[in-house]
Amino acid sequence: MLLLTFVVIVVAAGWYHLNGQYNDAVDNAFRTARSTALTVESHAARTFGETFKVIAGLGDVYRAGVDLDVVDEDYLHRLMTEKLAEMPYVSNFLIVDPEGRPIASAHAYPVDPKANLFDVTPTRPPADLADDTYVGSLYRGGEHGGGENWFLPVGMKVHGAKGNVIAIVVGIVRPSYFSTFYENLDVGPAGRVTMWTADGYLVASMLNERSRVGDYDPEIKQYVTTMAEREIGRAHV
C-alpha cells in the first residue's frame, strides 16, 4: 500500500441478454480495471516518491547547516523555490522547528519566526508516529491569497547529530493534480477512479464520483484497518 494513501478502482459493466456478450464485457471490464489500477498506482508512487525524495534532500541540507552552525535561510528559500518550479503537484515546501515555527519557505522570504504552521494547517506529525515520514490531514485554504483549494501535507522529521528532532520538512501536495490525471484515463462510461487517505477521506477523484474531495467514508477506513491487520497476521505466522 502506497504510504498512507491508496487508490480504489471501480468499473461497472453493462448487462447483456446473451451470455457470451455478458462474459466478454465482464472480462474486458476487469482487464481495463487491472490496467488502470497499475497506471494509477505507478503515477501515485512516482508523485509521492519524488516529493519525499526532495523533502529528504532539503532535510539533509538543513542538517548540514545546523552541524556547521551556518543555516542560510536565503539559500534554503532559493533551493525550495527551484524544486517547486519542477513539481506542479506541490504547492509549497517548508521547514519548521519541532514546535511548528517556520525556518524557511519556498513562498516567503524571510519567514515570520513568530508564526506557527501547526496552528493554521494540519501539518503536525502524529503523536504516535512510528516512522519519520507521514501524511497529514486534508485541509482547505487559499493559495497565494487566491480562492479555496484542497491541500494534502506530507512531511519528514529531521534528526540532529544527537538523534533529537531538530526540524520537520513539509511538502504541501495538490490533490487537484491527481484528479486532472484521472480525467484523462479511459475507464469506460461506468468506471471511476478515486484516491482516499487511510483514515477514510477522499483526496482526488474523477468527475463522475458522487463523493467530493474531503468527504469521509468509514468503510474505507475499515478496509484499510482490516488489510493492515491481515498483514500483521501474516508477519506473525
Side-chain angles (χ1 to χ4, degrees):
M1 193 174 297
L2 170 66
L3 303 175
L4 296 181
T5 63
F6 70 103
V7 177
V8 177
I9 307 295
V10 180
V11 177
W15 289 87
Y16 294 83
H17 294 294
L18 300 178
N19 288 336
Q21 289 178 310
Y22 170 74
N23 290 334
D24 288 344
V26 171
D27 289 343
N28 288 335
F30 276 113
R31 280 196 294 270
T32 299
R34 193 175 299 113
S35 175
T36 303
L38 292 174
T39 299
V40 171
E41 183 178 10
S42 175
H43 176 262
R46 184 170 61 253
T47 302
F48 282 104
E50 285 299 318
T51 302
F52 274 108
K53 182 179 178 180
V54 170
I55 286 175
L58 292 171
D60 289 342
V61 172
Y62 177 73
R63 183 188 301 108
V66 170
D67 290 344
L68 296 173
D69 198 25
V70 287
V71 174
D72 187 341
E73 182 189 346
D74 176 60
Y75 175 71
L76 290 169
H77 165 71
R78 287 186 286 109
L79 181 60
M80 288 189 282
T81 301
E82 290 173 3
K83 293 300 181 181
L84 203 62
E86 302 169 359
M87 306 171 73
Y89 41 88
V90 178
S91 170
N92 196 11
F93 284 114
L94 307 104
I95 301 177
V96 301
D97 70 14
E99 284 71 48
R101 292 183 293 265
I103 295 170
S105 168
H107 280 178
Y109 176 80
V111 297
D112 179 4
K114 296 181 181 179
N116 192 303
L117 183 66
F118 296 161
D119 289 342
V120 295
T121 59
T123 51
R124 185 192 302 273
D128 57 349
L129 183 65
D131 197 1
D132 285 336
T133 59
Y134 66 96
V135 175
S137 300
L138 274 169
Y139 72 94
R140 206 168 190 172
E143 185 174 30
H144 303 300
E148 293 292 298
N149 301 280
W150 284 100
F151 301 102
L152 182 67
V154 298
M156 177 181 293
K157 292 181 178 179
V158 180
H159 296 271
K162 297 181 179 179
N164 57 313
V165 177
I166 58 175
I168 299 164
V169 183
V170 179
I172 308 296
V173 176
R174 292 189 176 103
S176 59
Y177 175 79
F178 295 99
S179 295
T180 299
F181 176 75
Y182 297 161
E183 284 304 313
N184 293 319
L185 297 175
D186 182 9
V187 294
R192 64 185 189 273
V193 180
T194 56
M195 175 186 286
W196 304 78
T197 62
D199 53 355
Y201 289 91
L202 183 63
V203 175
S205 70
M206 302 183 78
L207 292 177
N208 63 351
E209 171 62 30
R210 292 184 297 273
S211 301
R212 293 292 176 260
V213 175
D215 285 356
Y216 173 69
D217 188 339
E219 293 185 2
I220 297 294
K221 183 177 181 179
Q222 180 58 43
Y223 172 80
V224 176
T225 302
T226 301
M227 293 300 293
E229 290 174 348
R230 288 179 181 175
E231 291 300 321
I232 292 174
R234 290 174 185 170
H236 287 196
V237 172

